[in-house]
Amino acid sequence: MRLAFAGYRDLNLPAEQQFSVLDFTDTECFHAYVSKVACAYGGDYCEDVSGGLEKVTTLSWKQLVRIMLHVADAPSHGQRYHYLNNSADYFFT
């Protein structure tokens, strides 16, 4: 089994902190990488979900059967994705 990781944070973080991406690898390397990924507070509640999904498209997918698990603790930026007030989403559109 090959595993990959595309972690995303908020839009206002520096580019080197906004994403944590590991291309497909074995389970041991995956676990070692993911265990070191840290959260970073971007100032609001919503996160860059679409940016994270875009990173997934850059991974080296090879098999015909492809499974992606999306785990999130906050909604995407944009008022069409949530009913939060503007203070929860600094990048609403």
Side-chain angles (χ1 to χ4, degrees), residues 5-89:
F5 181 80
Y8 56 88
R9 297 176 188 86
D10 215 341
L11 291 166
N12 64 336
L13 293 171
E16 66 275 1
Q17 293 178 11
Q18 190 175 357
F19 299 102
S20 296
V21 179
L22 174 69
D23 206 351
F24 286 96
T25 188
D26 60 56
T27 56
E28 186 176 317
C29 291
F30 175 83
H31 183 270
Y33 182 85
V34 172
S35 67
K36 295 177 184 171
V37 172
C39 296
Y41 182 62
D44 63 359
Y45 183 67
C46 296
E47 301 294 351
D48 186 17
V49 175
S50 61
L53 292 173
E54 183 178 344
K55 292 294 182 184
V56 170
T57 68
T58 67
L59 300 173
S60 61
W61 296 87
K62 293 182 181 177
Q63 304 302 322
L64 293 176
V65 176
R66 301 168 181 190
I67 299 171
M68 182 184 88
L69 300 177
H70 180 230
V71 179
D73 67 344
S76 180
H77 286 288
Q79 292 178 332
R80 64 183 173 187
Y81 301 115
H82 60 76
Y83 299 104
L84 304 170
N85 62 33
N86 292 348
S87 66
D89 187 356

